[in-house]
Amino acid sequence: MGVQQYDGIGEAFEGFKALPLTRYGEVPSFLGLVGDVSGRSILDLACGTGFYSREFKRRGATDVLGVDISVEMIAAARAIERRDPPDVRYEVGDVAELRPLDRQFDIALAVQCLNYAEDIAAMERMCRAIHRSLVPGGELFVLAQKPDYRFDCPSLEEYGFRCEPIGGEIETGPRVRVTALLDPRPISIVGAAPRREVYEESLRAAGFTALEWVPLGVSEAGIRAFGREFWADLLAHPPLEMLRCRA
């Protein structure tokens, strides 16, 4: 469901991180959730152009491997690495069919990853592959479309995105289109918004425990830049949610 779309984006994907929702909501919230990574190893699944891979390497992670199903996303990540090398490894791979890795990691990241599972069986395969790739007690951090997001709430466009249902459901949940309102050309990606129980049952079946859903927040920098009132609709109806659990 995702590879062909992302192959056509390349380094333009980096532009997502400059939009208000991402810059002041997603990024600081997710970095805060994962916390101190000093001396820890990280597996970044569906790494895209490697934004979080590079960020956590700079924050003290000892070894970071980024994996993405899109050849073009990995090519873009490697091109950025050559210009600004924090020493991250990247490879092309399908999380649902993840090859045995040369080590187990302390932390796995799954940012907009599990929601691309084509059905529940595929999500369960993803979760089992991630579990195998973690040390006992290792942590998985997920960020995805909020499972029960209501599409009739105020528009996200002032935050840089448009999110809309496109009709029909796959086995995991409703199909959605997310459009990043980049200038000069918006970029749309079609995926799914899996139901909360699909995430939870798939993760538990793979052996994960201590599941905790964590709401999205807005950084103090975002409040200073735009004012508190600007973020009221986003905080009342956040389109993204995070989840943490333990192997």
Side-chain angles (χ1 to χ4, degrees):
M1 188 161 51
V3 61
Q4 296 88 354
Q5 304 176 92
Y6 283 95
D7 274 346
I9 297 173
E11 274 196 51
F13 190 65
E14 285 288 293
F16 283 45
K17 295 298 187 281
L19 298 173
L21 168 59
T22 314
R23 181 177 181 181
Y24 297 112
E26 174 202 316
V27 171
S29 295
F30 193 67
L31 294 177
L33 178 71
V34 178
D36 184 11
V37 298
S38 299
R40 306 183 77 188
S41 56
I42 294 179
L43 176 62
D44 186 4
L45 300 159
C47 68
T49 52
F51 176 87
Y52 285 112
S53 298
R54 295 188 299 276
E55 187 63 31
F56 283 116
K57 190 68 170 67
R58 294 188 187 103
R59 288 169 178 249
T62 55
D63 180 31
V64 181
L65 172 63
V67 178
D68 199 281
I69 196 171
S70 167
V71 173
E72 293 303 321
M73 287 284 110
I74 291 298
R78 287 172 174 160
I80 296 169
E81 174 83 11
R82 286 192 293 271
R83 297 196 299 268
D84 180 19
D87 194 23
V88 174
R89 298 181 292 138
Y90 295 103
E91 67 177 59
V92 176
D94 182 347
V95 178
E97 309 295 338
L98 191 64
R99 70 169 181 84
L101 301 175
D102 57 3
R103 65 168 301 168
Q104 290 180 305
F105 291 81
D106 300 312
I107 294 171
L109 314 176
V111 175
Q112 303 292 9
C113 173
L114 299 179
N115 47 306
Y116 287 107
E118 296 179 351
D119 51 33
I120 292 173
M123 186 179 288
E124 290 178 348
R125 289 197 303 274
M126 286 180 170
C127 293
R128 287 194 296 270
I130 297 169
H131 192 276
R132 286 194 302 270
S133 302
L134 286 169
V135 299
E139 295 177 284
L140 168 63
F141 298 93
V142 176
L143 185 141
Q145 179 87 42
K146 186 176 181 181
D148 47 8
Y149 179 67
R150 292 184 56 183
F151 295 94
D152 59 354
C153 60
S155 172
L156 296 172
E157 293 194 14
E158 62 183 332
Y159 308 116
F161 287 86
R162 184 183 304 122
C163 187
E164 54 199 339
I166 57 175
E169 289 200 9
I170 61 173
E171 189 179 18
T172 61
R175 298 173 70 240
V176 299
R177 178 189 296 111
V178 175
T179 302
L181 303 176
L182 299 171
D183 185 23
R185 183 174 68 88
I187 294 175
S188 293
I189 298 169
V190 173
R195 297 181 299 279
R196 198 173 296 272
E197 65 269 20
V198 171
Y199 282 116
E200 294 177 353
E201 291 170 8
S202 298
L203 287 163
R204 289 193 175 108
F208 285 100
T209 62
L211 275 66
E212 178 189 3
W213 290 94
V214 181
L216 198 75
V218 173
S219 68
E220 286 300 318
I223 292 172
R224 289 195 301 271
F226 290 94
R228 195 170 299 275
E229 184 60 29
F230 173 81
W231 299 104
D233 286 340
L234 178 73
L235 293 175
H237 309 282
L240 301 172
E241 194 166 7
M242 303 178 295
L243 183 152
R244 68 191 306 166
C245 55
R246 192 172 294 276

